């Protein structure tokens, strides 16, 4: 455990710290004193927990099952398909340009997440390490921007990209990430504040530049916070519906992102629009776009949990 | 990866807090002596250079965009020629005259009032269950979190079929226990509960925040209380709620702001298709704003709509903060 001797001068409540470590460790057992001990209580508790788990999982199970059903049986609601139709998985690639959509989405998500991780950490280091006039005021402004509803800047942002001739390209979906993002700046600043300041003083004495202090000391020590920011933004970008609707929703279907594409497929296949109600392909597509997120979560669960918990702590 | 153990838990003190408290005169204790901080010039310049990306982004995409948005809201904007002709308050008067704006606003407020308390109650309930289970909590937490990882399009495409009034699994399930399920997606009275249901399904982010807060409540408080004969219900209201009141307050704020801007679910379930005649009770504010801006290219009108919802969000937040400060219990002396 790194001792927290950062620039922050308030003391750390040891209990908070202990709990924090527990949380960071991932599978934290609940505080033993609060666990239910009586047999009846434990049975009730586990019944409730299992019941909710089934309720949360049911849409997934339904989705997986429907993706293996032929068209006529999608709605029969049995979790085990009567007719097993794995050819859905072969056909969907012909019906929808899923590979293009996934390629576009991955490219955008990697650019968006990579850029925002770098830019936010640079800015965060500026706020965490240096003293300069107006710093606290500016950081307050960073936090304040988190309150601003996206709708207010939606149209001017569109016009900015329009004037730059970027409508119809993917640039508006990641370009603004060059400038950092408030929540990530907050999160990484917290992390940098926890690094022992002595490390940086020592590096100064050894003649390191300010950039060297950031790049060679702060960055290598902050990989966990980099991962948190990267996977959060990757997820946000992968799931984003509104921005592609605004910037890509015309021209060739191949240029869509996955969410935009599936939204398009939901309409195209629905019987009300001249489709045949071929929902089995929509289900396959929905499952295919969800998989990367589930893998991401499986790989980085503890980072997600830590990131979310940090969100709560800023309050 | 064990290096996560090194995640430092630093005191959460937004940099501006001290400053704010001083100005609002709420900070207690003697006035700190005025000290002129000496800044190292080189260090200050380096600091400004490090935060430069954010400053540029703020000037263009936040401050610049806000001013531009305000100008557009008082103009008739023509996208073809990229010109804004000032028309005074016309967009705002049109806004008030447009029954759909008020309808969408009403729908959105109604949804928020229904969704937020349910989300808080459900998330807190789940967090308390997880907090009591001891071994196995990690597994359930993972399972409960999965909906949060599901892209909204995937969730909507499944719920569109699950909620189908005639064939959907939810109504089939209700029929099995003798309940005639509603037409979730076409009955004007049931479209908002449909969206609330989807929102509750992915409530786990809020749950995680509550879980973290519950783990900070000292166990000995409960032990003392139960020695004193306090029952579970009493313990919940006298210990748990006050000890996590800050977190409840935070979640209410965040969820309210999110609810007032809900877009994805309403758009995907009801307004994907431009020709589709969905029930008017499913027209949410963000959806109508989107339609006005990017279907009709009524930029002036849409910008005015954006400022109206911004104002409403501000007012609601201020009321919540005023009200919240009364009952939020902060350990220690602060606030």
């Amino acid at each position: 455990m790194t001792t927290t001797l950062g620039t922050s001068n308030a003391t750390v409540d040891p209990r908070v710290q202990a709990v924090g470590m527990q949380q960071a460790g991932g599978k934290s057992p609940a505080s033993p004193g609060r666990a239910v001990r009586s047999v009846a209580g434990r049975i009730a508790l586990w019944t409730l927990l299992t019941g909710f788990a089934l309720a949360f999982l049911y849409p997934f199970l339904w989705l997986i099952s429907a993706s293996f059903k032929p068209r006529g049986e999608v709605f029969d609601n049995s979790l085990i398909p009567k007719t097993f139709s794995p050819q859905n998985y072969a056909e969907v690639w012909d019906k929808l340009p899923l590979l293009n959509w996934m390629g576009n989405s991955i490219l955008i998500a990697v650019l968006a997440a990579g850029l925002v991780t770098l830019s936010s950490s640079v800015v965060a280091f500026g706020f965490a390490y240096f003293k300069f006039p107006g710093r606290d005021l500016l950081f307050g402004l960073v936090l304040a921007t988190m309150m601003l509803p996206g709708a207010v800047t939606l149209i001017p942002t569109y016009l900015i990209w329009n004037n730059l001739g970027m409508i119809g390209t993917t640039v508006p979906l990641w370009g603004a990430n060059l400038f950092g993002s408030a929540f990530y700046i907050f999160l990484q600043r917290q992390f940098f504040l926890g690094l022992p300041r002595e490390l940086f003083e020592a590096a100064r004495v050894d003649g390191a530049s300010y950039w060297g202090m950031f790049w060679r000391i702060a960055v290598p020590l902050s990989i966990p916070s980099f991962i948190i920011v990267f996977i959060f933004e990757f997820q946000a970008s992968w799931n984003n519906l509104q921005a592609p609707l605004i910037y890509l929703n015309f021209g060739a279907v191949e240029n869509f992102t996955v969410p935009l594409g599936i939204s398009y497929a939901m309409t195209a296949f629905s019987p009300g629009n001249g489709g045949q109600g071929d929902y089995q392909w929509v289900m396959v597509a929905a499952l295919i776009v969800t998989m990367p997120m589930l893998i991401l979560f499986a790989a980085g669960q503890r980072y997600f949990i830590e990131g979310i918990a940090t969100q709560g702590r800023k309050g | 990866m064990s290096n996560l153990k090194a995640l430092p838990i630093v005191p959460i003190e937004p940099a501006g807090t001290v400053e704010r408290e001083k100005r609002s005169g709420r900070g207690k204790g003697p006035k700190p002596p005025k000290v002129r901080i000496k800044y190292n010039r080189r260090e200050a310049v380096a600091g400004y250079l490090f935060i430069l990306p954010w400053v540029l982004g703020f000037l263009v995409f936040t401050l610049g965009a806000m001013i531009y948005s305000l100008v557009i809201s008082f103009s008739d904007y023509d996208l073809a020629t990229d010109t804004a002709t000032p028309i005074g308050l016309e967009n705002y008067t049109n806004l008030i005259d447009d029954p759909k704006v008020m309808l969408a606003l009403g729908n959105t407020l109604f949804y928020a009032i229904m969704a937020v308390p349910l989300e808080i109650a459900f998330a807190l309930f789940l967090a308390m269950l997880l907090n009591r289970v001891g071994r196995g909590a990690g597994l359930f937490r993972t399972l409960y979190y999965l909906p949060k990882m599901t892209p909204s399009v995937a969730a909507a495409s499944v719920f569109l079929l699950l909620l189908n009034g005639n064939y959907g699994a939810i109504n089939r399930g209700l029929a099995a226990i003798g309940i005639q399920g509603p037409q979730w997606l076409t009955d004007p009275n049931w479209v908002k509960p449909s969206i609330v249901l989807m929102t509750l399904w992915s409530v786990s982010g809020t749950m995680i925040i509550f879980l973290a807060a519950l783990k900070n409540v000292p166990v000995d408080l409960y032990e003392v209380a139960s020695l004193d004969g306090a029952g579970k219900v009493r313990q919940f209201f006298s210990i748990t709620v006050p000890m996590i009141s800050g977190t409840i307050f935070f979640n209410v704020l965040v969820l309210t702001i999110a609810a007032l801007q809900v877009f994805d679910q309403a758009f995907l379930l009801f307004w994907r298709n431009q020709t589709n005649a969905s029930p008017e009770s499913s027209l949410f504010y963000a959806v109508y704003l989107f339609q006005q801006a990017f279907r009709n290219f009524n930029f002036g009108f849409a910008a005015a709509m954006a400022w109206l919802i911004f104002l409403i969000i501000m007012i609601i937040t201020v009321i919540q903060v005023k009200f919240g400060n009364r009952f939020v219990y902060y350990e220690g002396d602060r606030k």
Side-chain angles (χ1 to χ4, degrees), chain A residues 151-278:
Chain A
V152 171
T153 54
L154 195 65
I155 290 163
T157 307
Y158 175 87
L159 292 174
I160 291 170
W161 293 120
N162 189 37
N163 279 320
L164 295 173
M166 294 296 174
I167 308 297
T169 73
T170 64
V171 178
L173 305 181
W174 51 263
N177 285 8
L178 277 166
F179 306 107
S181 172
F183 173 56
Y184 302 137
I185 293 171
F186 163 79
L187 199 140
Q188 290 191 311
R189 173 180 165 275
Q190 291 294 83
F191 205 97
F192 290 141
L193 285 178
L195 300 175
R197 204 173 164 86
E198 289 77 9
L199 275 179
F200 297 104
E201 307 298 351
R204 286 298 292 161
V205 173
D206 290 348
S209 65
Y210 287 124
W211 181 256
M213 285 157 55
F214 168 69
W215 193 246
R216 286 206 296 277
I217 299 172
V219 171
L221 287 173
S222 309
I223 298 301
S225 80
F226 275 67
I227 295 176
I228 292 176
V229 171
F230 188 90
I231 59 182
F232 263 67
E233 184 63 16
F234 192 94
Q235 189 199 10
S237 169
W238 183 264
N239 295 349
N240 191 347
L241 173 69
Q242 198 181 47
L245 267 174
I246 292 171
Y247 294 108
L248 296 177
N249 193 20
F250 38 77
V253 175
E254 285 77 26
N255 295 335
F256 286 5
T257 61
V258 177
L260 184 59
I262 291 186
S263 160
Y264 154 84
M266 281 163 78
T267 307
F269 290 150
S270 88
N273 293 285
Q276 302 289 314
D278 288 305

Side-chain angles (χ1 to χ4, degrees), chain B residues 88-118:
Chain B
L89 285 169
E90 202 176 308
N91 287 320
Y92 288 91
T93 51
N94 287 347
L95 206 71
I96 294 158
D97 290 339
D98 184 349
K100 277 193 160 180
V101 171
M102 292 305 138
L103 172 80
L105 193 58
N107 284 340
T108 306
L109 289 171
F110 183 83
Y111 164 79
I113 289 167
M114 183 162 37
V116 174
L118 285 172

Side-chain angles (χ1 to χ4, degrees), chain A residues 19 24 30 34 49 56 60 77 131 133 152 156 163 190-191 235 267 273 293 301 303 306 311 313, chain B residues 4 7 12 43 48 65 69 82 131-132 141-142 144-145 148-150 153 167 201 216 250 272-273 310:
Chain A
V19 173
R34 294 290 289 153
L49 283 167
F56 281 122
F60 287 105
N77 293 324
K131 291 191 185 71
V152 171
N163 279 320
Q190 291 294 83
F191 205 97
Q235 189 199 10
T267 307
N273 293 285
M293 289 299 101
Q301 185 184 168
Y303 299 103
E306 176 61 27
Q311 223 168 339
R313 260 179 263 145
Chain B
L4 211 105
L7 258 187
I12 312 306
E43 189 188 321
Y48 286 127
S69 169
D82 200 15
N131 198 36
R132 300 301 297 271
R141 192 182 59 186
T142 303
Y144 291 4
Y145 199 79
K148 192 81 191 158
M149 295 303 295
T150 312
V153 275
Y167 314 106
W201 182 61
N216 280 348
F250 169 80
R272 262 183 352 269
N273 185 353
F310 182 33

Side-chain angles (χ1 to χ4, degrees), chain A residues 33-63:
Chain A
R34 294 290 289 153
V36 178
R37 295 221 185 80
S38 76
V39 175
R42 289 203 71 83
I43 289 173
L45 184 64
W46 279 80
T47 310
L48 272 173
L49 283 167
T50 312
F52 282 121
L54 289 175
F56 281 122
L57 287 183
Y58 182 78
F60 287 105
L61 301 175
W62 195 93
L63 172 62

Side-chain angles (χ1 to χ4, degrees), chain A residues 1-2 4 8 10 12 15-16 19-20 23-24 26 28 30-31 33-36 42 45-46 49-50 52-53 56-60 62-63 75 77 122-123 125-127 129-133 136 138-139 141-143 145 147-156 158-163 179 185 189-191 194 204 210-211 214 224 235 239 241-242 245-246 249 259 263 266-267 273 282-283 286 289-290 293-294 297 301-306 308 311-315, chain B residues 1 3-12 14-16 39 42-44 46-48 50-51 53-54 56-58 60-62 65-66 68-69 72 77 79 82 122 125-126 129-135 140-154 156-162 164 167-169 172 200-201 205 208-209 212 215-216 218-219 222 235 250 257 261 263-264 267-268 272-273 289-290 293-295 297 299 302-303 306-307 310 313 317 331:
Chain A
M1 178 76 198
T2 318
T4 51
S8 179
V12 180
R15 196 185 62 238
V16 173
V19 173
Q23 278 164 14
S28 56
S31 26
R34 294 290 289 153
V36 178
R42 289 203 71 83
L45 184 64
W46 279 80
L49 283 167
T50 312
F52 282 121
F56 281 122
L57 287 183
Y58 182 78
F60 287 105
W62 195 93
L63 172 62
F75 270 120
N77 293 324
V122 170
V123 174
F125 190 71
F127 279 118
Y129 182 79
F130 302 97
K131 291 191 185 71
F132 49 87
D136 293 350
L138 286 170
F139 189 69
L141 213 52
V142 173
L143 296 180
T145 60
M147 294 286 293
L148 189 70
V152 171
T153 54
L154 195 65
I155 290 163
Y158 175 87
L159 292 174
I160 291 170
W161 293 120
N162 189 37
N163 279 320
F179 306 107
I185 293 171
R189 173 180 165 275
Q190 291 294 83
F191 205 97
R204 286 298 292 161
Y210 287 124
W211 181 256
F214 168 69
Q235 189 199 10
N239 295 349
L241 173 69
Q242 198 181 47
L245 267 174
I246 292 171
N249 193 20
S263 160
M266 281 163 78
T267 307
N273 293 285
V282 180
M283 294 298 104
V289 305
T290 308
M293 289 299 101
L294 298 186
F297 183 59
Q301 185 184 168
R302 64 189 58 181
Y303 299 103
F304 273 104
I305 303 293
E306 176 61 27
I308 297 272
Q311 223 168 339
R313 260 179 263 145
K314 93 186 157 221
Chain B
M1 245 180 282
N3 57 352
L4 211 105
K5 287 231 162 64
L7 258 187
I9 306 302
V10 287
I12 312 306
Y39 293 102
R42 260 175 59 85
E43 189 188 321
Y48 286 127
F50 269 89
I51 67 163
W54 176 79
L56 291 177
F58 175 79
V60 175
F61 288 101
T62 307
M66 282 174 78
Y68 200 12
S69 169
I72 292 170
Y77 194 90
L79 187 61
D82 200 15
F122 189 43
F125 181 66
L126 291 175
L129 287 181
L130 287 183
N131 198 36
R132 300 301 297 271
V133 76
R135 225 165 273 282
F140 285 112
R141 192 182 59 186
T142 303
L143 293 179
Y144 291 4
Y145 199 79
L146 290 182
K148 192 81 191 158
M149 295 303 295
T150 312
S152 60
V153 275
S157 59
V158 174
F159 274 87
L160 194 65
L161 304 185
L162 288 180
N164 184 295
Y167 314 106
R172 289 273 173 88
L200 288 179
W201 182 61
I208 298 285
I209 297 176
K215 289 195 185 303
N216 280 348
V219 174
Y222 294 102
Q235 286 182 23
F250 169 80
I257 292 174
Q261 299 181 72
F263 175 81
D264 281 19
F267 179 82
L268 288 166
R272 262 183 352 269
N273 185 353
L289 195 158
F290 172 84
F294 298 106
R295 297 269 201 249
F297 293 96
F299 280 166
W307 281 99
F310 182 33
I313 289 176
T317 306
E331 209 173 352

